[in-house]
Amino acid sequence: MKWFDNTALTLVIIGALNWLLIGIFRFDLVAYLFGNLSMLSRIIYTLVGLCGLYLISLFGRIRGFSEN
């Protein structure tokens, strides 16, 4: 599962950097590279969102480690 955690974290970091670009420069890198709401860009947005939801489980796992 560690590879999945690392992959999910990488995708969420890429998504966060994309939001940083949108917030500061009004530049959507995903839309620029893959098309504005094209099927591929929608898949990327969906994967980033799902990975973000998955990483919510880190809160429980981190808390579990600190209790040991």
Side-chain angles (χ1 to χ4, degrees):
M1 250 342 211
K2 185 176 172 118
W3 68 270
F4 189 74
D5 290 343
N6 290 334
T7 302
L9 185 58
T10 301
L11 282 175
V12 169
I13 289 170
I14 290 170
L17 291 174
N18 191 53
W19 276 110
L20 177 68
L21 290 172
I22 291 170
I24 294 175
F25 301 112
R26 293 184 182 179
F27 177 71
D28 187 347
L29 183 62
V30 173
Y32 176 76
L33 293 175
F34 302 107
N36 191 18
L37 292 180
S38 68
M39 185 56 81
L40 187 55
S41 65
R42 291 178 66 197
I43 290 170
I44 292 168
Y45 291 133
T46 301
L47 287 174
V48 169
L50 289 173
C51 287
L53 290 175
Y54 168 75
L55 289 177
I56 292 172
S57 69
L58 281 179
F59 286 120
R61 290 188 274 162
I62 290 171
R63 188 175 53 193
F65 288 132
S66 65
E67 291 175 357
N68 291 331

